[in-house]
Amino acid sequence: MRSFFCFFRLLLHTLGAFVYGTVVYPFIDNDAKNRYVQKWSKKLLDICGVTVKIVNPELLSSRALIVANHVSWLDIFLIYSVVSGHFIAKADMANWPMVGWLSRKTGTLFLERSSARNLKSTLETLVKNLQARERCIFFPEGTTGRQGKMLPFHPNLFEGAIHAGLPVQPFALRYIDRNGQYEQAVDSSGDISLAQSMKNVFNSDYILAELTVLPVMDTAGMHRKTLSQQAREVIVSVLPQEQSQAPENRGNPPETARDRQDAQP
């Protein structure tokens, strides 16, 4: 019964966004759009029974490429409840029901995983946005991973911050229960469907979403592989892992065939 009630409220909340996004959103300025997205995201988390805690908000940079570990479908809304920016997401997300439409409205940049040409185009757009004083955000793991088991970071999109001459700012995301342990209900990795993950979240009696803002990382003279590895290490330092393991080096030069496998954000 609880999950049905939450789903119904979430559906109404999303339908409201469709109406607002069609009638009002196209005609307001960027600041008003950002405020609406932030308010809408906070309400979504509230509907899902998620309490938000921000650690080190004073470290938040006004101009940076934000990177974060990826745990759940809640991550995007958690970040949007704190900062505005353009997400970089896998191309198939554009076709997801409701989420795809909302993502396009908020200026998400969609990246085709297998296309080196698309990666180059996305990098160019990323650099332009960063240089225009707009934050961009992406999940370097490229997919969701279980809490305590962070996946390796793909290095390609870190190149955008280097070319733009702007820093990288890591965010560490975690969801915990009343005992301070990782809350498994938010898990959407592996074979767990979005519907099942949503049901698990709705049925949970308490979820604390903690977003830790970490110090910016200077990109001057850095190589994307080194930068991605250091960003991962900084995030791991505040997120307990089940086992310490050096991340697999998946970065390869753009002209190689293997790099096409790394083209996902």
Side-chain angles (χ1 to χ4, degrees), residues 37-252:
V37 171
Q38 183 178 49
K39 182 179 178 181
W40 191 89
S41 298
K42 287 181 177 179
K43 182 62 177 179
L44 180 143
L45 294 170
D46 180 65
I47 290 172
C48 294
V50 177
T51 301
V52 176
K53 177 182 178 182
I54 312 301
V55 180
N56 303 329
E58 71 281 359
L59 296 181
L60 185 62
S61 173
S62 60
R63 295 187 67 193
L65 174 63
I66 294 173
V67 300
N69 58 303
H70 199 10
V71 175
S72 169
W73 56 276
L74 293 168
D75 296 345
I76 292 176
F77 308 110
L78 174 57
I79 293 175
Y80 267 150
S81 73
V82 179
V83 298
S84 59
H86 298 287
F87 264 95
I88 305 173
K90 53 188 179 182
D92 55 348
M93 182 178 171
N95 300 317
W96 289 4
M98 296 188 294
V99 175
W101 185 86
L102 292 169
S103 298
R104 290 192 296 273
K105 282 291 183 180
T106 55
T108 298
L109 309 176
F110 295 105
L111 175 62
E112 180 61 52
R113 296 183 181 188
S114 59
S115 172
R117 179 180 298 178
N118 187 265
L119 172 60
K120 181 180 179 182
S121 174
T122 301
L123 275 172
E124 291 173 352
T125 304
L126 172 59
V127 171
K128 289 179 181 178
N129 285 346
L130 289 171
Q131 291 176 334
R133 298 178 178 271
E134 297 179 351
R135 291 191 190 94
C136 288
I137 311 156
F138 80 104
F139 301 115
E141 292 168 280
T143 187
T144 53
R146 190 162 59 86
Q147 296 197 92
K149 286 278 192 179
M150 195 185 303
L151 301 173
F153 277 11
H154 298 275
N156 292 318
L157 293 180
F158 284 85
E159 193 80 29
I162 296 171
H163 285 176
L166 291 176
V168 165
Q169 181 150 50
F171 282 3
L173 313 182
R174 70 169 183 164
Y175 302 84
I176 56 178
D177 59 23
R178 293 186 186 277
N179 299 317
Q181 302 300 311
Y182 285 142
E183 174 55 72
Q184 300 304 319
V186 303
D187 189 5
S188 56
S189 62
D191 296 329
I192 301 175
S193 67
L194 175 60
Q196 182 60 54
S197 179
M198 291 176 69
K199 183 178 180 180
N200 293 341
V201 169
F202 294 158
N203 286 329
S204 178
D205 67 337
Y206 178 85
I207 298 175
L208 175 63
E210 187 176 274
L211 186 155
T212 301
V213 181
L214 296 164
V216 295
M217 302 173 60
D218 187 12
T219 61
M222 295 286 287
H223 189 278
R224 63 185 184 186
K225 295 179 186 178
T226 304
L227 188 58
S228 68
Q229 289 168 356
Q230 290 183 0
R232 184 183 185 277
E233 290 169 1
V234 169
I235 295 174
V236 166
S237 70
V238 297
L239 296 177
Q241 299 294 292
E242 291 184 8
Q243 61 182 57
S244 298
Q245 199 170 35
E248 177 186 351
N249 186 355
R250 292 187 178 184
N252 295 283

